[in-house]
Amino acid sequence: MPLNHLGLVLEYHDIRKGLPDLSDRPDVRGVLVWFRDTDETYPLPDLVGYLHWADRTMQQGKRFVVFGVAGFVTHRETPPQLLAAATPFLADFGLRYEPCGWMETKAERLLYTLHLRKYNPCMITHTAGTAYVTKDSAMVEFERKLGDAPPPYFSLHSSPIAT
């Protein structure tokens, strides 16, 4: 990571071993989390606790950076209490999580109706009709070219209540 080239000292922490108490750590400027999208089960048993910890960390004035997936929304059905806990976390980023209210294909609707698939309405899985609007060459495609259609993604919207 180039952070050490900026004079920062990186301190790795496996959050599966518990969330660190940063309240009396004035030397910590921020937190960077990176969850893999391929994880079938997220590494944290208490995702609501993680969101409260992240929100407290930001309230202490520490920067919070998320690479990849946010770490709390799964490809399976997302429980309402988890979405409620995610609201202040997302608001700190100027975002809100809003169910799309539709299912993308007739086949998905049928599988959901037959209780063969749980549905997360904000997960956009069929991206063939989606296109990249802008590609900043300073940010993307320096390792490999992006495909024609983006990978599955979650639908997030800007929030008017951002802090």
Side-chain angles (χ1 to χ4, degrees), residues 50-152:
Y50 159 73
L51 288 167
H52 290 306
W53 170 82
D55 196 48
R56 280 192 314 274
T57 300
M58 287 185 275
Q59 296 304 319
Q60 295 167 4
K62 299 180 188 323
R63 302 288 186 197
F64 203 92
V65 178
V66 178
F67 279 138
V69 296
F72 61 86
V73 180
T74 67
H75 293 284
R76 296 173 303 279
E77 186 176 8
T78 304
Q81 67 271 19
L82 187 55
L83 291 178
T87 299
F89 174 81
L90 289 171
D92 287 335
F93 289 94
L95 298 170
R96 63 186 163 82
Y97 185 81
E98 183 176 285
C100 302
W102 49 272
M103 297 187 190
E104 297 176 60
T105 66
K106 289 181 183 179
E108 283 184 352
R109 288 191 291 272
L110 178 62
L111 289 171
Y112 177 76
T113 303
L114 297 173
H115 302 287
L116 297 174
R117 178 181 292 168
K118 291 184 176 179
Y119 184 73
N120 185 338
C122 287
M123 179 69 177
I124 309 301
T125 56
H126 298 287
T127 62
T130 305
Y132 296 104
V133 177
T134 303
K135 294 181 193 177
D136 183 345
S137 61
M139 299 292 293
V140 298
E141 294 189 333
F142 51 87
E143 291 179 341
R144 64 177 171 81
K145 295 287 185 192
L146 297 174
D148 291 335

Side-chain angles (χ1 to χ4, degrees), residues 34-63:
W34 196 337
F35 294 98
R36 293 181 304 167
D37 190 33
T38 57
D39 287 346
E40 278 300 311
T41 58
Y42 278 78
L44 298 172
D46 181 13
L47 293 172
V48 172
Y50 159 73
L51 288 167
H52 290 306
W53 170 82
D55 196 48
R56 280 192 314 274
T57 300
M58 287 185 275
Q59 296 304 319
Q60 295 167 4
K62 299 180 188 323
R63 302 288 186 197

